[in-house]
Amino acid sequence: MRILISACLLGARCRYDGASKPQPWIAALAERHTLVPVCPEQLGGLPTPRPPAERRGDRVLTRDGGDVTAQYRRGAEEALHLCRLLGCEAALLKERSPSCGSGSVYDGTFTGTLTAGDGVTAELLRAQGIPVYGESRAAELADHI
């Protein structure tokens, strides 16, 4: 199975702070499936590192008030394009991210407060019928494939 995956989970230093969030279980997943890495923020034209951003309603704003919604939407569209082009059947994305978050994201106050919802990319993929999982649900994804 082909799985679209947040590149930061594979160890790519593409997060807003220039870091990654590699997961030890990724190697086992990669042995059984084809992983297609994406960073929607970079695909949308944002640099790395970049100012922290959070979702506030339908907008994505940086801590200093900059509106990066257009870049996040462009990145989501590009991630969807790659998902379709390469035949990905599911997505495994970084939790709480304004792009990749699945089920909960930071609320836009930059206080570490979570709220129910999805990141821009996760929301678009789901709307197109692609199952989306956060990294804490990787075992659940493995059970379905």
Side-chain angles (χ1 to χ4, degrees):
M1 168 185 253
R2 290 179 192 262
I3 301 170
L4 193 75
I5 186 167
S6 293
C8 63
L9 296 176
L10 294 171
R13 297 183 187 280
C14 56
R15 285 174 30 100
Y16 76 94
D17 57 3
S20 65
K21 289 289 184 179
Q23 301 297 311
W25 44 263
I26 292 289
L29 190 66
E31 288 176 6
R32 296 181 302 146
H33 305 285
T34 301
L35 304 181
V36 177
V38 296
C39 177
E41 291 93 337
Q42 287 181 339
L43 289 172
L46 294 171
T48 301
R50 56 191 164 273
E54 293 185 1
R55 266 196 102 162
R56 191 175 306 159
D58 288 338
R59 313 297 306 164
V60 182
L61 305 174
T62 63
R63 181 177 291 156
D64 61 6
D67 189 333
V68 290
T69 306
Q71 292 92 329
Y72 274 73
R73 287 186 180 151
R74 186 178 319 118
E77 291 288 342
E78 292 297 327
L80 175 62
H81 171 73
L82 290 173
C83 190
R84 288 178 171 158
L85 179 70
L86 298 172
C88 296
E89 299 174 51
L92 181 59
L93 303 177
K94 179 71 187 100
E95 294 173 342
R96 299 179 295 281
S97 155
S99 182
C100 296
S102 176
S104 67
V105 293
Y106 291 109
D107 71 354
T109 63
F110 296 90
T111 60
T113 305
L114 292 171
T115 188
D118 290 330
V120 178
T121 298
E123 184 176 78
L124 179 62
L125 294 175
R126 269 207 178 98
Q128 296 298 312
I130 297 160
V132 176
Y133 298 84
E135 74 265 24
S136 69
R137 294 181 56 213
E140 185 179 331
L141 171 61
D143 289 344
H144 285 104
I145 52 181

